[in-house]
Amino acid sequence: MKKIISIFAIALAAVFAISCDKDGENEGSGSIEGTWTFLDHHHSITLTLKGGEFEWLCSGFKDTGSYTYTDGVLTLNVSKHYTAQVDEWTDDGKRVFRDYVEDTMEYWGPRHAGKAVIIGEAMIWTLTEDPFFGGWTDSMILLRDVTKITLDTKKVQGTWEFELEQDTEILGKSKSRLEIGDGTYTFRDVYSIYDTESPVVDGNYTRAIRVATKESGTWSYKEGTVTLKVKECFSSTSGDYATGYSHSPVNEETMEAETWTKLDGNYDRDAIMILDEKNSMLYFYGMDLSGVFTKKK
């Protein structure tokens, strides 16, 4: 299944209603101070905010300096930048960086500026043209303490959707739909791939094909973590590289293919689910099934 979210390409468009009465706090949601982490085995982020000072660790780089949090906008003002001299993997599969040395890399103005919504132990951070991420205006979920995240499993039941701009105008938007029941779920995804039979202009294919995937199974929740037990997976694409691929037509509204090809299922995966009941948004972060969903009317 297509991976929707990654640390360097989280193109999620979301609008947040935020109120703030003083630096360091988001009204009704607790203090922004503390240590926040973005969960990723390869490019994890650790952001520590305390007493107006910050430390940012990501992929062998470290920034330090001061920060401000005003009107819901978090701005990191970098004063020093460091690079790790050691990059290694532990026996249990974790990537470790150490022996940081100050670097001479120059910065122009503040970095990592953007809206930061605090929902309990989660921070939903919409970046604003951050140079570390190539200038994208992206969103990510950072967690302060996953074991303290609470979830009303009844209130998340329903149908949730989001749309995502793909890389080019030819590919257009992808569409995802998450249907959550009482212990069951179905995830549907419709997106575009390049039509390799189309004419090539300036090295790019000029047409796209709409394809779909669908999976269903059961889900449970404990101590901040949602466990998905995938039972069935389907794709609108069939065939292989040797014999060639064929694509069944997809209904954009129902997100159903005329003909589904069954894929391997029966496996488990974990995710984080955070409900913003006030704004009818569901933040879902997990392998291959991630996004900022809004409740379907």
Side-chain angles (χ1 to χ4, degrees):
M1 180 172 291
K2 179 177 66 72
K3 186 174 184 180
I4 301 173
I5 195 170
S6 70
I7 189 169
F8 294 115
I10 316 170
L12 304 175
V15 178
F16 303 108
I18 306 171
S19 61
C20 179
D21 58 356
K22 62 180 180 178
D23 285 2
E25 291 188 5
N26 182 36
E27 184 177 355
S29 299
S31 173
I32 198 172
E33 288 202 348
T35 297
W36 303 88
T37 57
F38 177 89
L39 304 178
D40 186 279
H41 292 299
H42 299 286
H43 303 288
S44 61
I45 293 173
T46 301
L47 172 63
T48 301
L49 305 169
K50 185 176 182 180
E53 301 293 320
F54 82 89
E55 179 183 79
W56 162 279
L57 297 171
C58 180
S59 299
F61 298 104
K62 178 171 72 172
D63 290 339
T64 61
S66 63
Y67 77 90
T68 60
Y69 185 51
T70 306
D71 295 330
V73 176
L74 176 63
T75 303
L76 306 184
N77 301 292
V78 180
S79 59
K80 291 185 178 181
H81 175 74
Y82 302 82
T83 302
Q85 303 303 296
V86 176
D87 176 358
E88 61 186 9
W89 292 85
T90 63
D91 292 339
D92 57 355
K94 294 182 180 180
R95 194 176 184 184
V96 176
F97 299 97
R98 55 184 173 83
D99 297 345
Y100 286 88
V101 174
E102 187 171 349
D103 204 325
T104 57
M105 186 181 297
E106 295 182 358
Y107 291 93
W108 295 269
R111 291 183 53 205
H112 316 301
K115 290 287 185 180
V117 179
I118 311 300
I119 304 175
E121 299 300 309
M123 179 197 297
I124 316 302
W125 193 2
T126 302
L127 306 174
T128 305
E129 298 183 355
D130 186 294
F132 186 88
F133 295 92
W136 286 311
T137 54
D138 304 330
S139 299
M140 65 175 64
I141 300 172
L142 295 94
L143 302 175
R144 181 157 46 194
D145 187 344
V146 66
T147 64
K148 293 183 179 179
I149 294 176
T150 58
L151 180 71
D152 189 328
T153 57
K154 296 294 184 182
K155 290 183 178 179
V156 299
Q157 293 179 27
T159 301
W160 303 82
E161 293 185 344
F162 83 87
E163 292 187 341
L164 170 66
E165 291 285 355
Q166 293 188 256
D167 293 339
T168 68
E169 186 176 345
I170 293 174
L171 293 178
K173 291 183 177 181
S174 68
K175 180 180 179 182
S176 300
R177 180 178 296 163
L178 180 60
E179 299 166 322
I180 304 176
D182 184 8
T184 63
Y185 81 96
T186 299
F187 177 69
R188 305 171 191 271
D189 193 20
V190 176
Y191 56 99
S192 299
I193 61 174
Y194 286 112
D195 180 359
T196 57
E197 301 299 321
S198 68
V200 177
V201 177
D202 295 329
N204 298 312
Y205 297 113
T206 54
R207 290 196 304 264
I209 301 171
R210 295 295 273 176
V211 297
T213 57
K214 178 175 68 172
E215 72 171 59
S216 60
T218 61
W219 71 281
S220 59
Y221 170 80
K222 183 178 181 181
E223 295 181 346
T225 300
V226 173
T227 298
L228 304 176
K229 292 186 175 294
V230 183
K231 300 298 183 183
E232 292 185 315
C233 299
F234 301 91
S235 174
S236 64
T237 299
S238 60
D240 54 39
Y241 181 79
T243 62
Y245 296 96
S246 61
H247 306 281
S248 174
V250 176
N251 185 305
E252 293 283 338
E253 179 58 32
T254 64
M255 303 179 73
E256 287 283 338
E258 287 187 5
T259 303
W260 288 110
T261 298
K262 192 168 185 179
L263 307 176
D264 292 335
N266 295 314
Y267 57 91
D268 295 354
R269 58 184 177 181
D270 292 334
I272 304 297
M273 191 185 295
I274 301 159
L275 175 64
D276 180 357
E277 189 174 359
K278 177 181 177 182
N279 297 306
S280 296
M281 291 182 177
L282 183 69
Y283 305 97
F284 199 103
Y285 172 54
M287 290 298 294
D288 300 328
L289 178 54
S290 303
V292 182
F293 291 77
T294 55
K295 194 71 172 285
K296 187 179 180 183
K297 302 295 184 182

